[in-house]
């Protein structure tokens, strides 16, 4: 294969145009639409005269068709639509398109941006957020009111209001969309219904309870805020005030956000973000007025952070759905500025909650940002788990991964959730030789776990291979197969055997004796690791064991093997702690037939659990349930580890290779988290099926 820079390659010629390759990279990467439009203009202005003639315009249209085909779009009607749009961009009718006309037409014509594959962002109120959508049921255009035809029923749909149009009708669509804030203080107060025609197929009328029939046309009305669906003839009987429906506890209606004459910096004082990370539209109106939030009394507005890269395309779908269910100003894409804009916007909102949509790494990112934001009150955090792993979400009963469940139900579970405190730990690495370079330590805070040895070795090899060949890690199944391969090779070569010869551990100043067979050590803050493995295990309290008086303190460190076996099974942080039972001394009472029971591992007990692993085989046995737990080594409030050779390590699933060093782990603070309500009974007699939740 060879490259050329001018004429397009013919089919079968083995030639690829450099311009086409550059255009693919430009369109499919992230970035500002204006920059991409300017780049495309200069790329195809072959003679460099600052004008696109008819042949150059045709070349751009051809390239856009190729991009659309790459994105698996139905391009049957696309080319004439693009040709007509390109003719309209020639505002002066000169037969050529200047750079100014190209930018003006591209930026103001939102459907054109969508058809060109460019990202569209909310610039201000009242603008549709178009996206190309394939419908699996009959849908009618809101402009011409005719059926979207074709096998895949392709059209443009607004993320915010569900206004749906043919591609050819997009330019005729009314520009007005929902308002996300009141335009003045006078308009703030009572929220009114915002009705959009259609979107009511196979639904019951919220007023008369009769079915809304289609009649082969655009039928019914739905409210964008409370999602009430009614017959058009029932509109007069519906009160004008909107209560925001089932999700009223979470929603910030437009009437609760209004502009005030303040300097912008006053609305983001004490913010930790840099100016480059924040868009002015988050805090101000186009006139430069700051936006103030005054939520509805007795509600708990929800601030949502979504990592669109988590879970493949799951994150993108969740982002769009939540932008429709809530006020779009409550939902933030973490790839566009990070968490600081949302935290600063909600700074003075009382009783707000946070929902993090992503993996454990995303949750740690948000908790760290909350630390730095210095908010007047630390908000509790719920988790919608995307991707794989999600150990923290499992402990908080939010599940091991989102599989397309009804988001309204999940939001209602957040409304009924309870606040629990979660310990967070500071990790400090002191290299034995500062001159010896190693990988950067990914985090300084432990939320879930820290490990060293066999499991970190597998994770590190996986991470290195994925960074080198990302195209080989594009599905969950492939990832699991790669993990299996690395685990098998680790079993054969045992790179971390005889760990005791190069690792020493002190728990609150007490040296810990390591067995010769150990190949890994895990330090746990939560009883879940490797996507659901409970390495500490669950041991029930001995029958007849009396409970100690609550409120008494545990010893700072417990290393006695017999005492560690009696850790009572209990709730993982439910209500801030299980039953706390103190010991008279670490070894227990010699006269007792069995040692006194320890309190169960708890998210807020300011204690870490230390577990030893003998190898990959034992890890697999624990994960599959063939073995109950690893080797319990200690339960303590402070740990010091010293290594004598480079060893693989990981924090919350992020691995690195660390040269000889000293590691100190100490308690940092506690973060309020939201624990989901207990699962409902699934058996006939009301008895819960399956194992007791940790």
């Amino acid at each position: 294969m060879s490259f050329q820079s001018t004429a397009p390659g013919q089919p079968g010629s083995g030639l690829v145009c450099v311009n086409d390759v550059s255009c693919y990279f430009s369109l499919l990467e992230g970035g500002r639409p204006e920059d991409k439009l300017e780049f495309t203009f200069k790329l195809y202005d072959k003679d460099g005269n600052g004008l696109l003639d008819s042949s150059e315009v045709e070349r751009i249209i051809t390239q856009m068709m190729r991009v659309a085909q790459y994105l698996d779009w139905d391009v049957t009607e696309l080319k004439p639509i693009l040709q007509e749009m390109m003719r309209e961009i020639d505002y002066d009718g000169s037969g050529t398109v200047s750079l100014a006309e190209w930018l003006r037409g591209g930026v103001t014509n939102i459907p054109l941006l969508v058809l060109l594959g460019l990202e569209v962002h909310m610039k201000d109120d009242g603008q549709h957020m178009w996206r190309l959508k394939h419908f699996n049921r009959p849908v009618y255009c809101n402009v011409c009111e005719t059926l979207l035809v074709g096998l895949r029923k392709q059209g443009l749909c607004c993320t915010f209001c569900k206004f749906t149009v043919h591609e050819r009708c997009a330019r005729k669509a009314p520009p007005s969309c929902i308002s996300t804030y009141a335009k003045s203080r006078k308009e703030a107060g009572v929220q009114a219904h915002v009705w959009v025609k259609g979107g009511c197929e196979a639904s019951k009328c919220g007023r008369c309870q009769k079915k809304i029939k289609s009649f082969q046309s655009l039928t019914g009305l739905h409210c964008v805020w409370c999602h009430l669906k009614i017959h058009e003839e029932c509109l007069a009987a519906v009160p004008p005030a909107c209560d925001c429906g089932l999700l009223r506890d979470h929603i910030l209606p437009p009437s609760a956000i209004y502009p005030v004459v303040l300097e912008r910096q006053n609305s983001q004082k004490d913010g930790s973000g840099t100016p480059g990370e924040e868009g002015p539209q988050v805090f101000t109106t186009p006139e430069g007025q700051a936006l103030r939030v005054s939520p509805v009394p007795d509600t708990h507005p929800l601030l949502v952070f979504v990592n669109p890269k988590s879970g493949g395309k799951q994150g993108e779908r969740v982002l769009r759905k939540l932008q429709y269910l809530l006020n779009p100003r409550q939902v933030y894409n973490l790839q566009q500025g990070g968490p600081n804009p949302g935290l600063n916007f909600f700074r003075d909102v009382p009783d707000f909650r946070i929902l993090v949509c992503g993996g454990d790494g995303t949750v740690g990112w948000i908790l760290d940002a909350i630390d730095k934001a210095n908010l007047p009150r630390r908000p509790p955090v719920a988790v919608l788990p995307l991707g794989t792993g999600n150990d923290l979400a499992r402990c908080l009963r939010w599940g091991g991964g989102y599989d397309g469940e009804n988001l309204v139900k999940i939001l209602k579970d957040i409304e009924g959730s309870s606040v629990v405190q979660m310990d967070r730990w500071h990790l400090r690495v002191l290299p034995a030789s500062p001159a010896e370079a190693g990988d950067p330590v990914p985090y300084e805070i432990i939320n879930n776990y820290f490990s060293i040895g066999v499991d970190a070795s597998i994770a590190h090899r996986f991470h290195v291979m994925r960074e080198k060949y990302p195209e080989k890690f594009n599905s969950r199944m492939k990832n699991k197969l790669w993990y299996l391969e690395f685990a098998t090779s680790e079993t054969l070569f045992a790179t971390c055997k005889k760990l005791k010869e190069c690792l020493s551990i002190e728990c609150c100043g007490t040296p810990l004796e390591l067995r010769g067979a150990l190949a890994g050590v895990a330090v746990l803050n939560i009883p879940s690791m490797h996507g659901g493995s409970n390495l500490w295990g669950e041991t029930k309290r001995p029958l007849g064991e009396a409970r100690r008086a609550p409120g008494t303190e545990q010893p700072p460190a417990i290393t006695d093997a017999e005492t560690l076996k009696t850790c009572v099974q209990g709730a993982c942080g439910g209500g801030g702690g299980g039953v706390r039972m103190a010991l008279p001394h670490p070894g227990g009472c010699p006269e007792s037939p069995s040692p006194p029971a320890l309190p169960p591992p708890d998210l807020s007990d300011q204690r870490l659990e230390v577990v030893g692993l003998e190898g990959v085989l034992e890890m697999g046995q624990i994960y599959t349930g063939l073995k109950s737990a690893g080797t319990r080594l200690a339960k303590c409030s402070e740990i010091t580890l010293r290594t004598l050779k480079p060893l693989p390590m990981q924090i919350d699933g992020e691995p690195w290779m660390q040269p000889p060093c000293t590691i100190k782990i100490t308690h940092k603070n506690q973060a309020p988290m939201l624990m989901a309500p207990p699962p409902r009974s699934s058996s006939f007699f009301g008895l819960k099926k399956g194992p007791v939740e940790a």
Side-chain angles (χ1 to χ4, degrees):
M1 180 178 289
S2 60
F3 291 88
Q4 59 181 9
S5 59
T6 53
Q10 299 299 323
S13 65
L15 298 176
V16 177
C17 180
V18 174
N19 285 14
D20 293 351
V21 175
S22 301
C23 188
Y24 272 117
F25 285 143
S26 171
L27 293 177
L28 300 180
E29 285 184 345
R32 296 174 61 244
E34 294 88 344
D35 296 336
K36 292 184 179 183
L37 287 167
E38 183 175 356
F39 176 83
T40 306
F41 182 93
K42 293 179 178 179
L43 193 65
Y44 287 97
D45 182 17
K46 292 188 294 183
D47 50 15
N49 64 351
L51 297 172
L52 296 176
D53 58 29
S54 58
S55 64
E56 293 167 339
V57 167
E58 185 65 26
R59 177 69 184 282
I60 292 177
I61 292 175
T62 301
Q63 178 57 26
M64 296 309 106
M65 293 285 290
R66 292 174 182 168
V67 172
Q69 288 173 333
Y70 173 81
L71 295 173
D72 197 27
W73 292 359
D74 183 0
V75 296
T76 309
E77 301 179 356
L78 187 55
K79 188 167 185 177
I81 294 172
L82 285 174
Q83 290 172 332
E84 184 180 351
M85 288 182 175
M86 295 298 285
R87 283 194 295 270
E88 291 184 356
I89 287 177
D90 181 16
Y91 293 101
D92 58 8
S94 62
T96 59
V97 178
S98 67
L99 176 59
E101 289 175 325
W102 175 254
L103 292 177
R104 175 188 170 191
V107 174
T108 57
N109 194 333
I110 301 298
L112 177 60
L113 290 178
V114 176
L115 294 173
L116 295 182
L118 302 182
E119 294 180 1
V120 184
H121 308 308
M122 181 176 65
K123 294 180 179 298
D124 187 36
D125 255 18
Q127 289 189 350
H128 290 293
M129 180 75 80
W130 296 111
R131 70 181 184 92
L132 192 70
K133 184 175 180 179
H134 301 290
F135 298 92
N136 55 9
R137 54 180 174 77
V139 174
Y140 294 86
C141 174
N142 279 88
V143 173
C144 67
E145 300 196 5
T146 60
L147 187 68
L148 269 65
V149 295
L151 248 144
R152 304 170 71 182
K153 302 180 184 64
Q154 175 179 283
L156 292 175
C157 181
C158 176
T159 298
F160 298 156
C161 66
K162 300 301 181 186
F163 197 90
T164 303
V165 295
H166 292 101
E167 293 159 333
R168 63 176 181 270
C169 297
R171 291 169 290 108
K172 304 174 187 176
S176 59
C177 186
I178 62 170
S179 292
T180 60
Y181 64 90
K183 298 303 180 285
S184 67
R185 185 68 178 91
K186 294 180 180 178
E187 295 181 19
V190 179
Q191 176 63 39
H193 287 291
V194 177
W195 300 106
V196 174
K197 194 172 182 180
C200 303
E201 293 79 9
S203 300
K204 282 189 177 182
C205 174
R207 177 63 186 175
C208 67
Q209 302 303 315
K210 295 180 180 178
K211 186 177 180 180
I212 302 175
K213 297 181 180 179
S214 168
F215 299 115
Q216 304 300 312
S217 63
L218 196 67
T219 310
L221 298 171
H222 73 272
C223 175
V224 174
W225 295 109
C226 66
H227 308 297
L228 179 68
K229 298 177 181 180
I230 61 170
H231 294 103
E232 293 182 61
E233 53 268 26
C234 293
L235 178 60
V238 177
C242 176
D243 65 356
C244 295
L246 286 175
L247 303 179
R248 65 178 65 90
D249 190 55
H250 295 308
I251 293 178
L252 271 180
S255 58
I257 307 173
Y258 56 90
V260 292
V261 183
L262 289 175
E263 292 294 328
R264 179 169 175 257
Q265 56 266 29
N266 289 342
S267 67
Q268 54 178 4
K269 59 185 176 181
D270 299 327
S272 59
T274 60
E277 292 179 332
E278 300 166 1
Q281 73 273 16
V282 176
F283 301 103
T284 63
T285 66
E287 294 77 24
Q289 293 177 298
L291 293 176
R292 174 174 290 175
V293 180
S294 179
V296 178
D298 300 321
T299 62
H300 304 81
L302 192 65
L303 170 60
V304 182
F305 294 112
V306 182
N307 187 346
K309 291 187 176 181
S310 296
K313 292 186 177 181
Q314 276 187 327
E316 297 176 4
R317 290 194 292 267
V318 167
L319 176 68
R320 292 194 299 265
K321 289 179 180 179
L322 290 173
Q323 284 177 328
Y324 174 66
L325 292 174
L326 305 173
N327 190 324
R329 292 188 180 272
Q330 296 178 244
V331 185
Y332 290 81
N333 183 341
L334 288 172
Q335 298 300 315
Q336 299 172 7
N340 291 324
L343 292 174
N344 290 332
F345 186 54
F346 271 67
R347 167 175 296 277
D348 298 320
V349 178
D351 299 325
F352 78 94
R353 302 181 179 123
I354 290 179
L355 172 63
V356 180
C357 305
D360 288 341
T362 306
V363 177
W365 180 13
I366 299 303
L367 293 177
D368 189 48
I370 294 173
D371 283 340
K372 298 174 181 176
N374 295 319
L375 300 174
R377 169 188 166 274
R378 187 164 187 132
V381 178
V383 184
L384 178 61
L386 303 179
T388 56
N390 304 307
D391 292 290
L392 180 57
R394 294 172 193 269
C395 287
L396 295 172
R397 293 201 287 247
W398 297 112
Y402 175 71
D403 289 323
E405 296 92 342
N406 188 346
L407 285 176
V408 173
K409 178 184 180 303
I410 293 174
L411 293 175
K412 291 299 291 182
D413 284 343
I414 293 175
E415 186 177 337
S417 61
S418 56
V419 178
V420 297
Q421 298 295 327
M422 182 184 74
D423 292 321
R424 303 177 70 230
W425 302 83
H426 183 261
L427 180 138
R428 189 156 55 106
V429 179
L430 305 172
S433 173
E436 189 172 0
D439 298 336
V441 180
Y443 304 128
E444 295 181 351
I445 305 297
I446 301 173
N447 295 309
N448 299 355
Y449 57 83
F450 165 82
S451 70
I452 180 170
V454 57
D455 66 312
S457 176
I458 299 171
H460 183 255
R461 294 177 63 188
F462 179 90
H463 174 76
V464 171
M465 183 65 77
R466 184 171 57 181
E467 291 293 309
K468 191 174 182 180
Y469 304 106
E471 70 278 2
K472 297 182 179 181
F473 298 81
N474 53 10
S475 73
R476 287 186 183 181
M477 182 56 65
K478 286 184 179 180
N479 291 354
K480 290 180 179 180
L481 291 175
W482 277 108
Y483 257 112
L484 178 61
E485 179 178 331
F486 295 139
T488 303
S489 63
E490 179 64 33
T491 303
L492 296 175
F493 298 106
T495 60
C496 298
K497 64 180 180 180
K498 297 181 180 179
L499 194 63
K500 64 176 295 184
E501 297 178 1
C502 56
L503 172 67
S504 63
I505 302 177
E506 291 182 8
C507 296
C508 300
T510 302
L512 197 61
E513 184 178 350
L514 300 179
R515 287 164 40 184
L518 293 183
V521 172
V523 180
L524 309 176
N525 185 45
I526 63 174
S528 180
M529 190 175 175
H530 307 143
S533 296
N534 186 350
L535 301 187
W536 184 258
E538 298 174 351
T539 306
K540 293 186 177 181
R541 179 168 55 91
L543 187 65
E545 176 70 41
R547 294 187 175 185
R548 302 281 179 172
T552 53
E553 289 296 324
Q554 302 180 51
I558 302 170
T559 59
D560 180 73
E562 291 302 315
T563 304
L564 291 171
K565 289 180 181 178
T566 63
C567 180
V568 182
Q569 179 182 6
C572 170
V579 180
R580 297 182 179 272
M581 291 167 284
L583 299 176
H585 54 80
C589 229
E591 296 81 12
S592 301
S594 62
L598 288 174
D602 187 272
L603 291 181
S604 59
D605 59 3
Q606 299 187 25
R607 296 294 186 272
L608 292 166
E609 287 74 42
V610 186
V611 181
L613 295 170
E614 295 183 357
V616 176
L617 183 60
E618 184 182 44
M619 290 170 54
Q621 290 174 332
I622 296 172
Y623 184 79
T624 57
L626 296 177
K627 189 173 181 180
S628 60
T631 304
R632 296 182 182 180
L633 300 178
K635 185 180 178 76
C636 57
S637 58
E638 184 177 318
I639 300 177
T640 302
L641 303 96
R642 295 181 176 87
T643 62
L644 302 178
K645 72 173 188 178
L647 287 172
M649 304 181 183
Q650 67 170 333
I651 298 178
D652 295 352
E654 292 292 329
W656 82 101
M657 185 63 71
Q658 179 62 48
C661 67
T662 299
I663 296 176
K664 294 182 180 294
I665 302 176
T666 55
H667 191 263
K668 175 181 171 61
N669 62 11
Q670 290 186 331
M673 307 296 292
L674 289 172
M675 177 171 280
R680 294 180 179 179
S681 169
S682 57
S683 69
F684 182 78
F685 294 104
L687 298 175
K688 191 175 107 149
K689 292 183 179 179
V692 179
E693 288 221 8

